[in-house]
């Protein structure tokens, strides 16, 4: 690949399979194509020379056309493991069209050997590796692989080029304030990829990103895609959250959501400030209610606590809790399925992502299972597809069967709608939430037909709406949204239909 002052660069994002977080079946209700834009590629685009012409094709939103390929001189492709099938197909097409391919992002950082057709791998965090690649390109000496163990200062990360994305196709936008997490869970690859010390952008940088989104016309929800948003509580309380409160003033509020560890429940002040700043939802890794499972995966922050009470405290503060759960730990016995169901129902975690444990390359779990000779192959990258890539301690068929039944149970209309009521009873309505607009009204009408007339859980649907209307009327829009999510989960996770 040669370096030219003007170049046509195609930024390519592969398709996700139909999975839990894709929300494909729910997005149809609001007429959107994908839940979030490819933030990594938009950030990389902002690091490329300003004179280069850039075009983004997110295959989750629109197909890759021959004329896109004909236009491009070089293709920059990104992705995570769950997108690997689509990545292989797209790379084959780019190769056949004779394009130079540059690949980066978690899929390639952890599995470059599976992609022999790629010309250049620019791995790890582009803030470190991309400048070196571009410099070598100028000198006609670009190598095949650029990798680094350095964790860069995020103060140099540019504002993503939102203008490349067609924002109207996405349900939410994303920004990233920090990378890294102080904890050390055995199954997680965040710390090997981003380190233990949470690195943050400056408050001014983050506000500039939000301003950029506003300028690009975005008025909807924004996901802070931090690995653990509360990794540095002091900076949050002293700098970022007060700045976000100021940013929200004088305009229609922007709802935020993020990911955090359970110790958020210990800090009333932090929760109050987050809600005031616009946060109304948080994803928390609960993993398991079993002490032995938590100890096994080194989830020390979840040990010795009343996790149900913690979840309820966060909900009462005005933050909906979405939860991550895992079955398949070595210490799990067949009672784990009933224990997980009981926990999920009691806590009122409506969006409960329960996965079978998988060993992702780069994790301590992967190392341990490899040393024990228990690895059986590659991970699919989607821990909700009912597969494992190692020999579990529990009989494999029992594990899979128990997992399937668990998913069928928690997403069946009866327990699902009941869980929404448990949650709504506890939840304090935040000041800032998604506006009720024409899209929402269309979704409501569609839900009435799809779930209220044709749905197998139609009785539970109407019961929930009537209950909410009289008991928690201000949470009515949320009740409808969660009902629509249930439709997606039933389709995607357990083949239960509407
Ligand atoms: C947002 C997010 C999502 C969003 C994706 C939205 C989207 N359109 O991309 C949602 C919620 C849908 C999602 C889902 C899942 N996710 Co996810 N997700 C993340 C998260 C939290 C942030 C990603 C992000 O936007 N980062 C911000 C940008 C700026 O960083 P970045 O993308 O890494 O890009 C940087 C570099 O990688 C590099 N780079 C990236 N692309 C490219 C391309 C080129 C050419 C170059 C040069 C450089 C480069 O430069 C960027 C700047 O440094 C990460 C965790 C993390 N910290 O990265 C997990 C993560 C990416 N997800 C992960 C997983 C496993 C999943 C799920 C499979 C979870 C599940 N069990 O269902 C699902 C699968 C998706 C699906 N629908 O099927 C794993 C990926 C593991 C892997 N090796 O692939 C991660 C790393 C989390 C983890 N702990 O394991 N996810
Ligand atoms: S708390 Fe979350 S991000 Fe941090 S190491 Fe554990 S699973 Fe990974």
């Amino acid at each position: 690949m040669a370096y030219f002052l003007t170049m046509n660069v195609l930024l390519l994002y592969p398709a996700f399979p139909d999975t839990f977080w894709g929300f494909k079946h729910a997005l149809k209700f609001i007429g959107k194509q994908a839940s979030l834009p490819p933030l990594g590629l938009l950030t990389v685009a902002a690091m490329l020379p300003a004179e280069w012409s850039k075009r983004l094709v997110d295959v989750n939103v629109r197909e890759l056309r021959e004329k896109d390929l004909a236009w491009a001189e070089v293709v920059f492709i990104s992705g995570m493991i769950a997108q690997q099938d689509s990545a292989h197909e797209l790379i084959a097409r780019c190769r056949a069209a004779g394009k130079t391919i540059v690949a980066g992002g978690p899929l390639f950082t952890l599995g470059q050997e599976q992609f022999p057709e790629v010309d250049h791998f620019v791995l790890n965090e582009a803030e470190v590796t991309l400048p070196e690649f571009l410099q070598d390109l100028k000198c006609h000496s670009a190598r095949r692989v650029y990798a680094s163990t350095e964790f860069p200062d995020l103060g140099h990360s540019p504002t993503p080029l939102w203008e490349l994305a067609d924002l109207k196709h996405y349900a939410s936008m994303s920004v990233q304030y920090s990378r890294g997490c102080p904890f050390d869970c055995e199954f997680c690859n965040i710390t090997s990829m981003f380190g233990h010390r949470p690195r943050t952008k400056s408050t001014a940088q983050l506000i500039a990103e939000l301003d950029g989104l506003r300028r690009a016309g975005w008025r909807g929800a924004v996901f802070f895609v931090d690995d653990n948003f509360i990794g540095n509580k002091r900076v949050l309380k002293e700098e970022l959250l007060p700045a976000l409160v100021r940013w929200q003033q004088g305009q229609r509020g922007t709802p935020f959501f993020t990911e955090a560890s359970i110790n958020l429940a210990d800090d009333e002040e932090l929760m109050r400030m987050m809600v005031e700043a616009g946060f109304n939802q948080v994803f928390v890794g609960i993993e398991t209610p079993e002490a032995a499972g938590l100890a096994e995966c080194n989830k020390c922050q979840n040990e010795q606590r009343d996790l149900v009470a913690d979840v309820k405290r966060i909900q009462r503060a005005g933050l909906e809790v979405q939860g991550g759960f895992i079955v398949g730990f070595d210490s799990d016995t067949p009672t784990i399925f009933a224990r997980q169901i009981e926990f999920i129902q009691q806590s009122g975690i409506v969006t409960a992502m329960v996965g079978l444990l998988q060993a992702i390359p780069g994790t301590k779990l992967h190392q341990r299972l490899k040393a024990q000779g228990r690895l059986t192959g590659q991970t699919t990258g989607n821990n909700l597809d009912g597969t494992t890539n190692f020999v579990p301690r529990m009989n494999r068929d029992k594990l899979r069967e128990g997992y399937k039944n668990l998913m069928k149970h928690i997403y069946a209309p009866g327990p699902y709608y009941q869980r929404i009521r448990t949650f709504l009873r506890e939840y304090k309505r935040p000041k800032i939430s998604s506006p009720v607009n024409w899209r929402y009204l269309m979704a409501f009408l569609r839900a009435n037909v799809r779930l209220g007339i044709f749905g197998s859980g139609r009785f539970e649907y109407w019961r929930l709406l009537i209950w909410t209307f009289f008991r928690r009327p201000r949470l009515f829009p949320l009740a409808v949204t969660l009902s629509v999510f249930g439709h997606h989960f039933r389709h995607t996770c357990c083949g239960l239909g509407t």
Side-chain angles (χ1 to χ4, degrees):
M1 174 183 172
Y3 185 100
F4 295 103
L5 271 183
T6 56
M7 280 228 271
N8 290 346
V9 182
L10 180 65
L11 299 140
L12 197 50
Y13 201 52
F16 283 110
D18 178 11
T19 56
F20 190 90
W21 291 119
F23 285 107
K24 184 175 144 194
H25 303 281
L27 290 171
K28 284 184 198 149
F29 284 70
I30 50 167
K32 300 276 183 176
Q33 311 286 329
S35 48
L36 292 157
L39 186 60
L41 273 180
L42 296 178
T43 307
V44 166
M47 293 180 216
L48 296 176
E51 315 77 54
W52 289 7
S53 301
K54 294 144 200 145
R55 183 183 291 183
L56 172 75
V57 175
D58 175 356
V59 177
N60 299 284
V61 160
R62 80 154 173 93
E63 60 180 6
L64 172 66
R65 301 183 193 119
E66 285 310 313
K67 62 179 184 197
D68 296 317
L69 280 175
W71 170 86
E73 275 149 338
V74 54
V75 177
F76 275 54
I77 186 168
S78 175
M80 55 178 93
I81 300 180
Q83 292 159 281
Q84 58 193 332
D85 292 347
S86 171
H88 278 294
E89 277 170 36
L90 293 174
I91 287 172
R93 277 184 69 187
C94 296
R95 188 78 294 176
K99 304 297 162 187
T100 302
I101 305 168
V102 182
L107 168 62
F108 304 99
T109 296
L110 295 171
Q112 45 155 301
E113 60 292 339
Q114 295 167 48
F115 298 91
E117 314 93 326
V118 168
D119 298 285
H120 302 280
F121 290 102
V122 181
L123 306 176
N124 305 101
E125 297 178 55
E127 288 81 355
V128 193
T129 47
L130 191 62
E132 195 191 346
F133 168 66
L134 293 175
Q135 188 54 40
D136 287 355
L137 204 57
K138 261 188 188 164
C139 307
H140 309 286
S141 60
R143 303 194 301 272
R144 183 151 190 268
V145 181
Y146 290 78
S148 169
T149 50
E150 188 189 329
F151 298 128
D153 177 355
L154 292 191
H156 304 302
S157 194
T159 298
L161 288 193
W162 308 115
E163 58 270 31
L164 294 181
D166 198 350
L167 304 193
K168 67 174 182 294
H169 294 308
Y170 297 94
S172 303
M173 284 295 124
S174 45
V175 294
Q176 189 180 43
Y177 174 59
S178 68
R179 291 183 197 158
C181 174
F183 297 111
D184 201 11
C185 307
E186 193 196 28
F187 54 80
C188 176
N189 63 352
I190 285 297
T191 45
S192 65
M193 289 195 314
F194 302 111
H196 283 290
R197 190 178 59 81
R199 289 164 288 138
T200 61
K201 290 180 181 165
S202 71
T203 297
Q205 249 176 309
L206 204 273
I207 296 291
E209 291 194 19
L210 291 173
D211 283 340
L213 272 176
R214 283 215 151 242
R215 267 198 309 279
W218 185 252
R219 297 290 178 272
V222 176
F223 180 15
F224 279 61
V225 297
D226 296 26
D227 307 312
N228 187 355
F229 182 67
I230 63 165
N232 189 337
K233 293 184 192 177
R234 189 192 57 77
V235 188
L236 284 187
K237 286 184 187 172
E238 289 176 10
E239 294 175 28
L240 185 72
L241 293 173
L244 288 178
V245 172
R246 286 194 296 277
W247 184 78
Q248 296 275 20
Q249 280 161 4
Q251 53 191 358
R252 196 179 72 193
T254 298
F256 297 136
F257 55 111
T258 191
E259 306 183 63
S261 42
I262 193 73
N263 52 323
L264 171 64
D266 303 336
D267 198 328
E268 293 286 347
E269 186 194 8
L270 182 60
M271 290 191 285
R272 185 188 50 72
M273 290 180 79
M274 281 176 67
V275 172
E276 207 186 333
F279 287 86
N280 62 15
Q281 203 181 71
V282 60
F283 176 89
V284 180
I286 307 275
E287 323 311 356
T288 175
E290 291 291 354
L294 291 174
E296 178 186 323
C297 70
N298 197 31
K299 193 106 196 171
C300 46
Q301 69 273 30
N302 289 27
E303 289 183 272
Q304 320 273 343
R305 323 178 56 110
D306 181 344
L307 290 167
V308 171
D310 289 336
V311 169
K312 293 202 181 264
R313 210 167 320 126
I314 301 175
Q315 291 167 339
R316 278 200 294 271
L319 294 159
E320 179 193 342
V321 177
Q322 301 189 328
F325 298 86
I326 297 176
V327 291
F329 290 119
D330 285 355
S331 55
D332 279 349
T333 65
T335 57
I336 187 63
F337 307 110
R339 286 277 288 130
Q340 291 278 23
I341 290 172
E342 186 191 13
F343 182 93
I344 291 166
Q345 291 302 119
Q346 271 183 13
S347 61
I349 294 183
V350 182
T351 301
M353 180 192 83
V354 190
L356 270 192
L357 185 62
Q358 287 194 354
I360 300 181
T363 59
K364 292 196 173 142
L365 176 69
H366 195 269
Q367 278 168 22
R368 172 166 71 84
L369 294 171
K370 193 170 177 195
Q372 293 173 347
R374 289 167 64 194
L375 287 180
T376 53
Q378 304 276 2
T379 161
T380 56
N382 172 14
N383 62 354
L384 289 112
D385 64 4
T387 64
T388 51
N389 63 334
F390 66 94
V391 182
R393 287 275 185 247
M394 198 188 298
N395 171 287
R396 191 186 281 270
D397 292 336
K398 255 201 185 132
L399 179 61
R400 203 170 291 159
E401 186 66 18
Y403 173 67
K404 269 206 271 0
N405 290 338
L406 186 167
M407 290 302 269
K408 278 197 166 143
H409 182 93
I410 60 172
Y411 287 110
Y416 184 75
Y417 285 104
Q418 186 188 38
R419 207 155 72 242
I420 300 181
R421 280 199 301 279
T422 305
F423 160 61
L424 295 181
R425 258 187 217 111
E426 217 68 52
Y427 189 50
K428 179 179 154 206
R429 182 177 179 266
K431 268 190 269 168
I432 297 173
S433 46
S434 293
V436 175
N437 52 20
W438 67 269
R439 261 184 209 282
Y440 170 81
L441 292 174
M442 286 305 293
F444 180 45
L445 293 178
R446 285 188 183 122
N448 288 345
V449 176
R450 199 88 176 83
L451 309 177
I453 297 177
F454 296 111
S456 60
R458 51 189 170 270
F459 171 69
E460 285 91 345
Y461 174 74
W462 291 115
R463 195 171 152 217
L464 171 74
L465 293 199
I466 292 166
W467 180 90
T468 314
F469 186 78
F470 287 108
R471 303 284 292 273
R472 307 299 314 258
R474 303 183 71 187
L475 295 176
F476 193 85
L478 184 57
V480 176
T481 302
L482 293 172
S483 302
V484 171
F485 282 7
H487 166 79
H488 167 74
F489 298 141
R490 278 192 287 284
H491 266 279
T492 301
C493 312
C494 25
L496 281 175
T498 307

